[in-house]
Structures are given as C-alpha cells and as structure tokens.
Amino acid sequence: MSTAEDRRAGARHLPRWLGPDERATWLALAGVLEMLPGALDGQLQRDAGLTFFEYMVLAMLSEQPDRTLRMSQLAAVTNGSLSRLSHVATRLEKQGYLRRVASAQDRRATDAVLTGDGWDKVVATAPGHVEWVRTLVIDPLSPAQQSQLRTIGERILSAIDPRGNRLPVGFPAP
Amino acid sequence: MSTAEDRRAGARHLPRWLGPDERATWLALAGVLEMLPGALDGQLQRDAGLTFFEYMVLAMLSEQPDRTLRMSQLAAVTNGSLSRLSHVATRLEKQGYLRRVASAQDRRATDAVLTGDGWDKVVATAPGHVEWVRTLVIDPLSPAQQSQLRTIGERILSAIDPRGNRLPVGFPAP
DNA sequence: CAAGATTGAACTATCAATCTTC
DNA sequence: GAAGATTGATAGTTCAATCTTG
C-alpha cells in the first residue's frame, strides 16, 4: 500500500525529510563545500599559478622517500580519479614539475616522479599555503573541534567510499 | 634577522607547519572536499540530470513564499558567485525550470522565479537527493557530531567570508 | 576479463570586461 | 563611482571509449 505522497514523488518509501537541526548541519557543510575550494584555489592560483589539486599532487609526491608514486596510488592519496590525474600530470609535466616513467615491475603501470623544479616549487609554495589553511580551517577551531572534524570527516569518507583506498601519506614538511 | 629557512622559502616569517593532529584534521577535510561534491553530483546527474548547484538553485527558490528571489540574493544563499549563477540560470531557463524578470523596484535588479515545471522538478528530485544526503553525511554521524559539524562549518565559513551574506533560508519540504 | 593508464569530447566554472542603473 | 547582472574567453573536470598488460 502506498500513500499519495509516495506516488507524487515517485518514491518507494516515504522520504525522511531533514529535521531543523539536520538541515542546519547539512547547509553548513554544503556552504563549506561551495566556498572552501574556491578560497584554496584562489590563494594558490595567485601566489603560485597552481590549482589546489595540482598542489596536492606535487605535495604528496614530495612526501615520498624517493619522490615517486604510481599514478593509481597518487590518484588515491589525492582523492582524485585516474583520468583527472592523468590530465593534470600532462600539465605538470609540460611545466617541468614532474615526469612519468614506465614502471619496471608492472608494464601496465606508470610512476610519477617529482623533478628538482617540482621540489623547489613545493618548497616555495608550501609556507603560504599552510598559512592560508591555518587561517581558514585550523585557527578558527579549538583543538577539541579539530579532533571532532577529523573524526567526522573520516566517517563521511567511509560512507562515500567504504573500501577506503586512502593511504597514510603525509603533508609536506620539506 | 632572518633564518636560512626564511630565505629559502621566501617567507617573511617562519612557517608554522601543521602538527600531526592538525595535519590529520586537514587531510580528512580535504578528502571530503574532493570526494563529496562528486558523490552528490553523481546521484543528481544520474537521477535528475542536474548538478548539485543547479539543484540548490531550484531548491532555494522553492523555499520562498512566492518562489522568487533576486539573482544576487539567490547567489548568496547558494554560496555561488553572481557570474556562476547567471550562467546556470541561462541553462535552467532554457530547460523551462525558471524564468527571469526585471525587478519593478530596482531597475538594475533581476528576479529569478521558479516555474511550475521547476517546482515539479524539485518535488520529483528532492526525495532521492535527501536520501543520499542522509546516507553520506547525516546517518554516519551521531546527533552530537551533527551539532559539532554545524558549529565547525559555520566557523570555517566565517573565516572565509567574515561579512557572511548567508541568509536563513530553508531546505525543500514540498 | 580486470587493472592501469591515457585521450578527446562535452560540459562546467572562473576571470576579466562590459553594460545599465542607483 | 558602486551595485546588480550578463557575457565571452579561458581553463579545468567528467565521461565514455580505447589501448595495453597481468
């Protein structure tokens, strides 16, 4: 048996609408989703001519002992698709910040390697970027809130991708 | 007096690097920033042929008593730029979901009005979208965490835009 | 057939310039 | 001159198709 609302909405179950508190939570997060990427891209674009995703690619490579990562692993740690990474790698390669070399072990695979110029770029860019991240995200939050945000973020990520191919790689500390 | 690190980085102050906890917090949030928009867009694109931003535009209009909002106000409540909204409004207008009419009071202004088709589109789309939002962000969190996320999100938004032109408008409950 | 990766086309967003009205 | 809004060009992302190797 179905209700009038079911048929109107084409839903198989009565939709569980968000309550006032849930709605406020969601709108706050949605606001962050719309605003923060632009704020991050803006600083990096002005100061370094990089997008946030491009910076993350270079930064994640700079964390590796040999400054090298398989394309598929690099995509995982930057939370991007392989296709997106491939396009970005083409751009970064043209700018001389990384190069791609065929893997010796698995001949399907490609390794991305940070060049000397790429390393210098990260070293030059990281301080301003980290300052900006502090200004927008870290400093406005108490240590308790930072801890809460970490847990909350990890839960949401698990809901999006239960497999969770996110590797424990680091943030640049050159 | 400046340190070697200052000169190397071109920084005027010693960069305050993120500590391990801060770094984990930031990486968790950065992961959400990269993954969640795609997950939201994916559901809406498949089920309704809409982007998340397009859905928000229609949903915010559907909240208004007269289903009408000034373009600049609509941009504010959807956390988008006026330029972005203008392009999106052109697309939505072509699809018949909204129309734009010159304001009577201020002849510089334009009012966006949700059409009957636009209303129907929101009614048909909202249940599936709300279910997906529940699955990804509400249900994985305890009520306490939801409350924390709201406060945290609002703090970050204040850091990005201290003026905070965000209006108290609602979520669709058609 | 699955995994790793790349490519081109279509789409979306951003930026600067522009126009009109207050 | 500033506010409200639009436009065109540029740049970046996504999607599906493709290719090669395990």
Side-chain angles (χ1 to χ4, degrees), chain A residues 71-72 82-83 86-87 100 108-110:
Chain A
M71 287 293 283
S72 48
L82 200 42
S83 168
S86 190
H87 284 295
R100 281 177 287 188
R108 297 172 299 180
T110 305

PDB file of all heavy atoms in Angstrom, chain A residues 71-72 82-83 86-87 100 108-110, chain C residues 2-9 14-15:
ATOM      1  N   MET A  71      50.863   6.164 -10.572  1.00  0.00           N
ATOM      2  CA  MET A  71      49.746   7.048 -10.903  1.00  0.00           C
ATOM      3  C   MET A  71      48.485   6.654 -10.131  1.00  0.00           C
ATOM      4  O   MET A  71      47.788   7.513  -9.587  1.00  0.00           O
ATOM      5  CB  MET A  71      49.471   7.015 -12.410  1.00  0.00           C
ATOM      6  CG  MET A  71      50.504   7.737 -13.243  1.00  0.00           C
ATOM      7  SD  MET A  71      50.539   9.531 -12.997  1.00  0.00           S
ATOM      8  CE  MET A  71      49.100  10.047 -13.937  1.00  0.00           C
ATOM      9  N   SER A  72      48.202   5.378 -10.068  1.00  0.00           N
ATOM     10  CA  SER A  72      46.972   4.950  -9.386  1.00  0.00           C
ATOM     11  C   SER A  72      47.047   5.233  -7.886  1.00  0.00           C
ATOM     12  O   SER A  72      46.053   5.614  -7.275  1.00  0.00           O
ATOM     13  CB  SER A  72      46.718   3.466  -9.638  1.00  0.00           C
ATOM     14  OG  SER A  72      47.894   2.725  -9.412  1.00  0.00           O
ATOM     15  N   LEU A  82      41.644   8.683 -11.719  1.00  0.00           N
ATOM     16  CA  LEU A  82      42.847   8.465 -12.512  1.00  0.00           C
ATOM     17  C   LEU A  82      42.831   9.330 -13.761  1.00  0.00           C
ATOM     18  O   LEU A  82      43.869   9.849 -14.195  1.00  0.00           O
ATOM     19  CB  LEU A  82      42.928   6.981 -12.869  1.00  0.00           C
ATOM     20  CG  LEU A  82      44.264   6.387 -13.270  1.00  0.00           C
ATOM     21  CD1 LEU A  82      45.401   6.880 -12.394  1.00  0.00           C
ATOM     22  CD2 LEU A  82      44.162   4.860 -13.188  1.00  0.00           C
ATOM     23  N   SER A  83      41.647   9.503 -14.317  1.00  0.00           N
ATOM     24  CA  SER A  83      41.518  10.344 -15.502  1.00  0.00           C
ATOM     25  C   SER A  83      41.902  11.795 -15.203  1.00  0.00           C
ATOM     26  O   SER A  83      42.676  12.419 -15.936  1.00  0.00           O
ATOM     27  CB  SER A  83      40.080  10.277 -16.009  1.00  0.00           C
ATOM     28  OG  SER A  83      39.850  11.279 -16.970  1.00  0.00           O
ATOM     29  N   SER A  86      45.576  12.078 -14.727  1.00  0.00           N
ATOM     30  CA  SER A  86      46.330  11.955 -15.969  1.00  0.00           C
ATOM     31  C   SER A  86      46.392  13.290 -16.706  1.00  0.00           C
ATOM     32  O   SER A  86      47.444  13.699 -17.209  1.00  0.00           O
ATOM     33  CB  SER A  86      45.687  10.882 -16.851  1.00  0.00           C
ATOM     34  OG  SER A  86      46.522  10.594 -17.943  1.00  0.00           O
ATOM     35  N   HIS A  87      45.252  13.981 -16.767  1.00  0.00           N
ATOM     36  CA  HIS A  87      45.239  15.303 -17.395  1.00  0.00           C
ATOM     37  C   HIS A  87      46.150  16.279 -16.657  1.00  0.00           C
ATOM     38  O   HIS A  87      46.909  17.032 -17.262  1.00  0.00           O
ATOM     39  CB  HIS A  87      43.813  15.854 -17.430  1.00  0.00           C
ATOM     40  CG  HIS A  87      42.951  15.235 -18.476  1.00  0.00           C
ATOM     41  ND1 HIS A  87      43.191  15.383 -19.818  1.00  0.00           N
ATOM     42  CD2 HIS A  87      41.844  14.468 -18.394  1.00  0.00           C
ATOM     43  CE1 HIS A  87      42.273  14.735 -20.517  1.00  0.00           C
ATOM     44  NE2 HIS A  87      41.435  14.159 -19.672  1.00  0.00           N
ATOM     45  N   ARG A 100      56.917  11.325 -16.015  1.00  0.00           N
ATOM     46  CA  ARG A 100      56.339   9.989 -15.876  1.00  0.00           C
ATOM     47  C   ARG A 100      57.241   8.968 -16.533  1.00  0.00           C
ATOM     48  O   ARG A 100      57.717   9.189 -17.650  1.00  0.00           O
ATOM     49  CB  ARG A 100      54.942   9.961 -16.510  1.00  0.00           C
ATOM     50  CG  ARG A 100      53.888  10.577 -15.617  1.00  0.00           C
ATOM     51  CD  ARG A 100      52.539  10.609 -16.274  1.00  0.00           C
ATOM     52  NE  ARG A 100      52.471  11.624 -17.325  1.00  0.00           N
ATOM     53  CZ  ARG A 100      51.339  11.969 -17.953  1.00  0.00           C
ATOM     54  NH1 ARG A 100      50.204  11.340 -17.656  1.00  0.00           N
ATOM     55  NH2 ARG A 100      51.340  12.899 -18.874  1.00  0.00           N
ATOM     56  N   ARG A 108      52.094  -2.356 -17.101  1.00  0.00           N
ATOM     57  CA  ARG A 108      50.899  -1.531 -17.298  1.00  0.00           C
ATOM     58  C   ARG A 108      51.048  -0.206 -16.556  1.00  0.00           C
ATOM     59  O   ARG A 108      50.403   0.780 -16.885  1.00  0.00           O
ATOM     60  CB  ARG A 108      49.660  -2.238 -16.728  1.00  0.00           C
ATOM     61  CG  ARG A 108      49.307  -3.536 -17.400  1.00  0.00           C
ATOM     62  CD  ARG A 108      48.215  -4.216 -16.620  1.00  0.00           C
ATOM     63  NE  ARG A 108      48.643  -4.522 -15.258  1.00  0.00           N
ATOM     64  CZ  ARG A 108      47.866  -5.115 -14.360  1.00  0.00           C
ATOM     65  NH1 ARG A 108      46.613  -5.448 -14.669  1.00  0.00           N
ATOM     66  NH2 ARG A 108      48.309  -5.382 -13.167  1.00  0.00           N
ATOM     67  N   ALA A 109      51.870  -0.216 -15.537  1.00  0.00           N
ATOM     68  CA  ALA A 109      51.900   0.896 -14.587  1.00  0.00           C
ATOM     69  C   ALA A 109      52.845   2.018 -15.004  1.00  0.00           C
ATOM     70  O   ALA A 109      53.788   1.817 -15.777  1.00  0.00           O
ATOM     71  CB  ALA A 109      52.289   0.389 -13.216  1.00  0.00           C
ATOM     72  N   THR A 110      52.547   3.217 -14.474  1.00  0.00           N
ATOM     73  CA  THR A 110      53.380   4.390 -14.702  1.00  0.00           C
ATOM     74  C   THR A 110      53.724   5.014 -13.357  1.00  0.00           C
ATOM     75  O   THR A 110      52.860   5.155 -12.500  1.00  0.00           O
ATOM     76  CB  THR A 110      52.622   5.433 -15.552  1.00  0.00           C
ATOM     77  OG1 THR A 110      52.171   4.824 -16.754  1.00  0.00           O
ATOM     78  CG2 THR A 110      53.526   6.611 -15.883  1.00  0.00           C
TER      79      THR A 110
ATOM     80  P    DA C   2      35.654  -8.415 -15.562  1.00  0.00           P
ATOM     81  OP1  DA C   2      34.710  -8.663 -14.469  1.00  0.00           O
ATOM     82  OP2  DA C   2      35.358  -7.417 -16.598  1.00  0.00           O
ATOM     83  O5'  DA C   2      37.057  -8.044 -14.913  1.00  0.00           O
ATOM     84  C5'  DA C   2      37.589  -8.858 -13.876  1.00  0.00           C
ATOM     85  C4'  DA C   2      38.911  -8.276 -13.413  1.00  0.00           C
ATOM     86  O4'  DA C   2      39.858  -8.302 -14.518  1.00  0.00           O
ATOM     87  C3'  DA C   2      38.849  -6.819 -12.942  1.00  0.00           C
ATOM     88  O3'  DA C   2      39.733  -6.670 -11.836  1.00  0.00           O
ATOM     89  C2'  DA C   2      39.296  -6.034 -14.167  1.00  0.00           C
ATOM     90  C1'  DA C   2      40.312  -6.982 -14.800  1.00  0.00           C
ATOM     91  N9   DA C   2      40.420  -6.869 -16.267  1.00  0.00           N
ATOM     92  C8   DA C   2      39.399  -6.850 -17.174  1.00  0.00           C
ATOM     93  N7   DA C   2      39.812  -6.751 -18.426  1.00  0.00           N
ATOM     94  C5   DA C   2      41.193  -6.701 -18.316  1.00  0.00           C
ATOM     95  C6   DA C   2      42.216  -6.594 -19.277  1.00  0.00           C
ATOM     96  N6   DA C   2      41.986  -6.519 -20.584  1.00  0.00           N
ATOM     97  N1   DA C   2      43.485  -6.571 -18.826  1.00  0.00           N
ATOM     98  C2   DA C   2      43.710  -6.642 -17.508  1.00  0.00           C
ATOM     99  N3   DA C   2      42.829  -6.747 -16.516  1.00  0.00           N
ATOM    100  C4   DA C   2      41.584  -6.772 -16.993  1.00  0.00           C
ATOM    101  P    DA C   3      39.853  -5.265 -11.096  1.00  0.00           P
ATOM    102  OP1  DA C   3      39.928  -5.504  -9.635  1.00  0.00           O
ATOM    103  OP2  DA C   3      38.819  -4.357 -11.668  1.00  0.00           O
ATOM    104  O5'  DA C   3      41.281  -4.773 -11.601  1.00  0.00           O
ATOM    105  C5'  DA C   3      42.408  -5.607 -11.413  1.00  0.00           C
ATOM    106  C4'  DA C   3      43.660  -4.876 -11.861  1.00  0.00           C
ATOM    107  O4'  DA C   3      43.694  -4.834 -13.297  1.00  0.00           O
ATOM    108  C3'  DA C   3      43.718  -3.426 -11.380  1.00  0.00           C
ATOM    109  O3'  DA C   3      45.056  -3.134 -10.993  1.00  0.00           O
ATOM    110  C2'  DA C   3      43.272  -2.618 -12.590  1.00  0.00           C
ATOM    111  C1'  DA C   3      43.789  -3.488 -13.735  1.00  0.00           C
ATOM    112  N9   DA C   3      43.020  -3.394 -14.978  1.00  0.00           N
ATOM    113  C8   DA C   3      41.668  -3.369 -15.130  1.00  0.00           C
ATOM    114  N7   DA C   3      41.270  -3.301 -16.386  1.00  0.00           N
ATOM    115  C5   DA C   3      42.449  -3.292 -17.107  1.00  0.00           C
ATOM    116  C6   DA C   3      42.720  -3.229 -18.486  1.00  0.00           C
ATOM    117  N6   DA C   3      41.770  -3.176 -19.426  1.00  0.00           N
ATOM    118  N1   DA C   3      44.012  -3.228 -18.869  1.00  0.00           N
ATOM    119  C2   DA C   3      44.971  -3.300 -17.930  1.00  0.00           C
ATOM    120  N3   DA C   3      44.837  -3.351 -16.599  1.00  0.00           N
ATOM    121  C4   DA C   3      43.533  -3.350 -16.252  1.00  0.00           C
ATOM    122  P    DG C   4      45.435  -1.673 -10.481  1.00  0.00           P
ATOM    123  OP1  DG C   4      46.549  -1.838  -9.511  1.00  0.00           O
ATOM    124  OP2  DG C   4      44.197  -0.964 -10.111  1.00  0.00           O
ATOM    125  O5'  DG C   4      46.022  -0.984 -11.789  1.00  0.00           O
ATOM    126  C5'  DG C   4      47.289  -1.395 -12.268  1.00  0.00           C
ATOM    127  C4'  DG C   4      47.715  -0.482 -13.382  1.00  0.00           C
ATOM    128  O4'  DG C   4      46.817  -0.689 -14.501  1.00  0.00           O
ATOM    129  C3'  DG C   4      47.641   1.003 -13.042  1.00  0.00           C
ATOM    130  O3'  DG C   4      48.889   1.615 -13.321  1.00  0.00           O
ATOM    131  C2'  DG C   4      46.512   1.542 -13.904  1.00  0.00           C
ATOM    132  C1'  DG C   4      46.492   0.561 -15.066  1.00  0.00           C
ATOM    133  N9   DG C   4      45.194   0.408 -15.727  1.00  0.00           N
ATOM    134  C8   DG C   4      43.976   0.246 -15.117  1.00  0.00           C
ATOM    135  N7   DG C   4      42.983   0.130 -15.976  1.00  0.00           N
ATOM    136  C5   DG C   4      43.593   0.209 -17.222  1.00  0.00           C
ATOM    137  C6   DG C   4      43.028   0.149 -18.532  1.00  0.00           C
ATOM    138  O6   DG C   4      41.845   0.005 -18.850  1.00  0.00           O
ATOM    139  N1   DG C   4      44.004   0.289 -19.523  1.00  0.00           N
ATOM    140  C2   DG C   4      45.350   0.457 -19.284  1.00  0.00           C
ATOM    141  N2   DG C   4      46.124   0.566 -20.358  1.00  0.00           N
ATOM    142  N3   DG C   4      45.887   0.514 -18.067  1.00  0.00           N
ATOM    143  C4   DG C   4      44.957   0.381 -17.087  1.00  0.00           C
ATOM    144  P    DA C   5      49.094   3.153 -12.959  1.00  0.00           P
ATOM    145  OP1  DA C   5      50.550   3.358 -12.824  1.00  0.00           O
ATOM    146  OP2  DA C   5      48.199   3.523 -11.865  1.00  0.00           O
ATOM    147  O5'  DA C   5      48.607   3.879 -14.292  1.00  0.00           O
ATOM    148  C5'  DA C   5      49.274   3.563 -15.496  1.00  0.00           C
ATOM    149  C4'  DA C   5      48.541   4.155 -16.674  1.00  0.00           C
ATOM    150  O4'  DA C   5      47.236   3.576 -16.813  1.00  0.00           O
ATOM    151  C3'  DA C   5      48.298   5.663 -16.626  1.00  0.00           C
ATOM    152  O3'  DA C   5      49.315   6.292 -17.400  1.00  0.00           O
ATOM    153  C2'  DA C   5      46.892   5.829 -17.245  1.00  0.00           C
ATOM    154  C1'  DA C   5      46.530   4.412 -17.693  1.00  0.00           C
ATOM    155  N9   DA C   5      45.112   4.064 -17.663  1.00  0.00           N
ATOM    156  C8   DA C   5      44.323   3.867 -16.572  1.00  0.00           C
ATOM    157  N7   DA C   5      43.070   3.550 -16.854  1.00  0.00           N
ATOM    158  C5   DA C   5      43.049   3.546 -18.244  1.00  0.00           C
ATOM    159  C6   DA C   5      42.034   3.283 -19.174  1.00  0.00           C
ATOM    160  N6   DA C   5      40.775   2.978 -18.826  1.00  0.00           N
ATOM    161  N1   DA C   5      42.345   3.362 -20.486  1.00  0.00           N
ATOM    162  C2   DA C   5      43.601   3.668 -20.835  1.00  0.00           C
ATOM    163  N3   DA C   5      44.642   3.935 -20.053  1.00  0.00           N
ATOM    164  C4   DA C   5      44.298   3.854 -18.757  1.00  0.00           C
ATOM    165  P    DT C   6      49.322   7.873 -17.584  1.00  0.00           P
ATOM    166  OP1  DT C   6      50.725   8.255 -17.854  1.00  0.00           O
ATOM    167  OP2  DT C   6      48.574   8.486 -16.487  1.00  0.00           O
ATOM    168  O5'  DT C   6      48.505   8.050 -18.943  1.00  0.00           O
ATOM    169  C5'  DT C   6      48.845   7.229 -20.048  1.00  0.00           C
ATOM    170  C4'  DT C   6      47.865   7.445 -21.194  1.00  0.00           C
ATOM    171  O4'  DT C   6      46.577   6.898 -20.841  1.00  0.00           O
ATOM    172  C3'  DT C   6      47.618   8.914 -21.569  1.00  0.00           C
ATOM    173  O3'  DT C   6      47.971   9.092 -22.935  1.00  0.00           O
ATOM    174  C2'  DT C   6      46.119   9.110 -21.300  1.00  0.00           C
ATOM    175  C1'  DT C   6      45.588   7.697 -21.431  1.00  0.00           C
ATOM    176  N1   DT C   6      44.322   7.433 -20.701  1.00  0.00           N
ATOM    177  C2   DT C   6      43.188   7.116 -21.415  1.00  0.00           C
ATOM    178  O2   DT C   6      43.152   7.058 -22.628  1.00  0.00           O
ATOM    179  N3   DT C   6      42.075   6.875 -20.647  1.00  0.00           N
ATOM    180  C4   DT C   6      41.990   6.907 -19.264  1.00  0.00           C
ATOM    181  O4   DT C   6      40.939   6.673 -18.675  1.00  0.00           O
ATOM    182  C5   DT C   6      43.215   7.250 -18.578  1.00  0.00           C
ATOM    183  C7   DT C   6      43.239   7.318 -17.075  1.00  0.00           C
ATOM    184  C6   DT C   6      44.306   7.488 -19.319  1.00  0.00           C
ATOM    185  P    DT C   7      48.016  10.589 -23.547  1.00  0.00           P
ATOM    186  OP1  DT C   7      49.052  10.590 -24.606  1.00  0.00           O
ATOM    187  OP2  DT C   7      48.082  11.543 -22.443  1.00  0.00           O
ATOM    188  O5'  DT C   7      46.589  10.724 -24.244  1.00  0.00           O
ATOM    189  C5'  DT C   7      46.218   9.781 -25.250  1.00  0.00           C
ATOM    190  C4'  DT C   7      44.797  10.059 -25.718  1.00  0.00           C
ATOM    191  O4'  DT C   7      43.870   9.631 -24.714  1.00  0.00           O
ATOM    192  C3'  DT C   7      44.509  11.536 -25.988  1.00  0.00           C
ATOM    193  O3'  DT C   7      44.208  11.684 -27.371  1.00  0.00           O
ATOM    194  C2'  DT C   7      43.321  11.870 -25.077  1.00  0.00           C
ATOM    195  C1'  DT C   7      42.777  10.506 -24.698  1.00  0.00           C
ATOM    196  N1   DT C   7      42.183  10.402 -23.333  1.00  0.00           N
ATOM    197  C2   DT C   7      40.919   9.876 -23.201  1.00  0.00           C
ATOM    198  O2   DT C   7      40.254   9.507 -24.148  1.00  0.00           O
ATOM    199  N3   DT C   7      40.462   9.800 -21.915  1.00  0.00           N
ATOM    200  C4   DT C   7      41.131  10.190 -20.760  1.00  0.00           C
ATOM    201  O4   DT C   7      40.626  10.061 -19.656  1.00  0.00           O
ATOM    202  C5   DT C   7      42.453  10.724 -20.972  1.00  0.00           C
ATOM    203  C7   DT C   7      43.266  11.169 -19.799  1.00  0.00           C
ATOM    204  C6   DT C   7      42.912  10.811 -22.230  1.00  0.00           C
ATOM    205  P    DG C   8      44.116  13.159 -28.014  1.00  0.00           P
ATOM    206  OP1  DG C   8      44.669  13.070 -29.380  1.00  0.00           O
ATOM    207  OP2  DG C   8      44.628  14.179 -27.065  1.00  0.00           O
ATOM    208  O5'  DG C   8      42.531  13.329 -28.128  1.00  0.00           O
ATOM    209  C5'  DG C   8      41.772  12.271 -28.704  1.00  0.00           C
ATOM    210  C4'  DG C   8      40.303  12.621 -28.685  1.00  0.00           C
ATOM    211  O4'  DG C   8      39.764  12.378 -27.365  1.00  0.00           O
ATOM    212  C3'  DG C   8      39.969  14.078 -29.016  1.00  0.00           C
ATOM    213  O3'  DG C   8      38.768  14.094 -29.784  1.00  0.00           O
ATOM    214  C2'  DG C   8      39.806  14.727 -27.644  1.00  0.00           C
ATOM    215  C1'  DG C   8      39.223  13.576 -26.821  1.00  0.00           C
ATOM    216  N9   DG C   8      39.546  13.590 -25.402  1.00  0.00           N
ATOM    217  C8   DG C   8      40.691  14.073 -24.807  1.00  0.00           C
ATOM    218  N7   DG C   8      40.695  13.924 -23.507  1.00  0.00           N
ATOM    219  C5   DG C   8      39.493  13.310 -23.228  1.00  0.00           C
ATOM    220  C6   DG C   8      38.941  12.898 -21.995  1.00  0.00           C
ATOM    221  O6   DG C   8      39.433  12.997 -20.862  1.00  0.00           O
ATOM    222  N1   DG C   8      37.697  12.305 -22.158  1.00  0.00           N
ATOM    223  C2   DG C   8      37.061  12.138 -23.364  1.00  0.00           C
ATOM    224  N2   DG C   8      35.863  11.548 -23.325  1.00  0.00           N
ATOM    225  N3   DG C   8      37.561  12.521 -24.525  1.00  0.00           N
ATOM    226  C4   DG C   8      38.770  13.097 -24.379  1.00  0.00           C
ATOM    227  P    DA C   9      38.095  15.488 -30.212  1.00  0.00           P
ATOM    228  OP1  DA C   9      37.872  15.399 -31.657  1.00  0.00           O
ATOM    229  OP2  DA C   9      38.862  16.628 -29.654  1.00  0.00           O
ATOM    230  O5'  DA C   9      36.676  15.428 -29.470  1.00  0.00           O
ATOM    231  C5'  DA C   9      36.014  14.163 -29.344  1.00  0.00           C
ATOM    232  C4'  DA C   9      34.772  14.311 -28.514  1.00  0.00           C
ATOM    233  O4'  DA C   9      35.117  14.264 -27.103  1.00  0.00           O
ATOM    234  C3'  DA C   9      34.015  15.624 -28.718  1.00  0.00           C
ATOM    235  O3'  DA C   9      32.622  15.384 -28.590  1.00  0.00           O
ATOM    236  C2'  DA C   9      34.563  16.504 -27.602  1.00  0.00           C
ATOM    237  C1'  DA C   9      34.767  15.487 -26.481  1.00  0.00           C
ATOM    238  N9   DA C   9      35.850  15.816 -25.553  1.00  0.00           N
ATOM    239  C8   DA C   9      37.055  16.402 -25.849  1.00  0.00           C
ATOM    240  N7   DA C   9      37.838  16.568 -24.810  1.00  0.00           N
ATOM    241  C5   DA C   9      37.093  16.056 -23.750  1.00  0.00           C
ATOM    242  C6   DA C   9      37.359  15.935 -22.379  1.00  0.00           C
ATOM    243  N6   DA C   9      38.495  16.340 -21.806  1.00  0.00           N
ATOM    244  N1   DA C   9      36.414  15.382 -21.612  1.00  0.00           N
ATOM    245  C2   DA C   9      35.275  14.967 -22.178  1.00  0.00           C
ATOM    246  N3   DA C   9      34.905  15.021 -23.460  1.00  0.00           N
ATOM    247  C4   DA C   9      35.878  15.585 -24.198  1.00  0.00           C
ATOM    248  P    DT C  14      33.878  28.437  -9.799  1.00  0.00           P
ATOM    249  OP1  DT C  14      34.417  28.081  -8.494  1.00  0.00           O
ATOM    250  OP2  DT C  14      32.568  29.117  -9.937  1.00  0.00           O
ATOM    251  O5'  DT C  14      34.962  29.301 -10.579  1.00  0.00           O
ATOM    252  C5'  DT C  14      36.153  28.659 -11.011  1.00  0.00           C
ATOM    253  C4'  DT C  14      36.999  29.662 -11.772  1.00  0.00           C
ATOM    254  O4'  DT C  14      36.490  29.815 -13.107  1.00  0.00           O
ATOM    255  C3'  DT C  14      37.029  31.055 -11.149  1.00  0.00           C
ATOM    256  O3'  DT C  14      38.383  31.509 -11.185  1.00  0.00           O
ATOM    257  C2'  DT C  14      36.110  31.881 -12.064  1.00  0.00           C
ATOM    258  C1'  DT C  14      36.294  31.179 -13.395  1.00  0.00           C
ATOM    259  N1   DT C  14      35.149  31.228 -14.348  1.00  0.00           N
ATOM    260  C2   DT C  14      35.399  31.525 -15.663  1.00  0.00           C
ATOM    261  O2   DT C  14      36.517  31.771 -16.091  1.00  0.00           O
ATOM    262  N3   DT C  14      34.298  31.520 -16.471  1.00  0.00           N
ATOM    263  C4   DT C  14      32.988  31.245 -16.109  1.00  0.00           C
ATOM    264  O4   DT C  14      32.079  31.270 -16.931  1.00  0.00           O
ATOM    265  C5   DT C  14      32.792  30.949 -14.715  1.00  0.00           C
ATOM    266  C7   DT C  14      31.409  30.636 -14.207  1.00  0.00           C
ATOM    267  C6   DT C  14      33.869  30.952 -13.916  1.00  0.00           C
ATOM    268  P    DC C  15      38.803  32.789 -10.306  1.00  0.00           P
ATOM    269  OP1  DC C  15      40.058  32.452  -9.631  1.00  0.00           O
ATOM    270  OP2  DC C  15      37.637  33.262  -9.539  1.00  0.00           O
ATOM    271  O5'  DC C  15      39.118  33.880 -11.436  1.00  0.00           O
ATOM    272  C5'  DC C  15      39.902  33.504 -12.557  1.00  0.00           C
ATOM    273  C4'  DC C  15      39.841  34.597 -13.605  1.00  0.00           C
ATOM    274  O4'  DC C  15      38.676  34.385 -14.435  1.00  0.00           O
ATOM    275  C3'  DC C  15      39.726  36.008 -13.028  1.00  0.00           C
ATOM    276  O3'  DC C  15      40.777  36.813 -13.543  1.00  0.00           O
ATOM    277  C2'  DC C  15      38.345  36.499 -13.467  1.00  0.00           C
ATOM    278  C1'  DC C  15      38.040  35.621 -14.678  1.00  0.00           C
ATOM    279  N1   DC C  15      36.583  35.335 -14.888  1.00  0.00           N
ATOM    280  C2   DC C  15      36.073  35.292 -16.187  1.00  0.00           C
ATOM    281  O2   DC C  15      36.827  35.488 -17.127  1.00  0.00           O
ATOM    282  N3   DC C  15      34.765  35.023 -16.365  1.00  0.00           N
ATOM    283  C4   DC C  15      33.975  34.801 -15.311  1.00  0.00           C
ATOM    284  N4   DC C  15      32.690  34.539 -15.533  1.00  0.00           N
ATOM    285  C5   DC C  15      34.482  34.848 -13.963  1.00  0.00           C
ATOM    286  C6   DC C  15      35.785  35.118 -13.803  1.00  0.00           C
TER     287       DC C  15
END
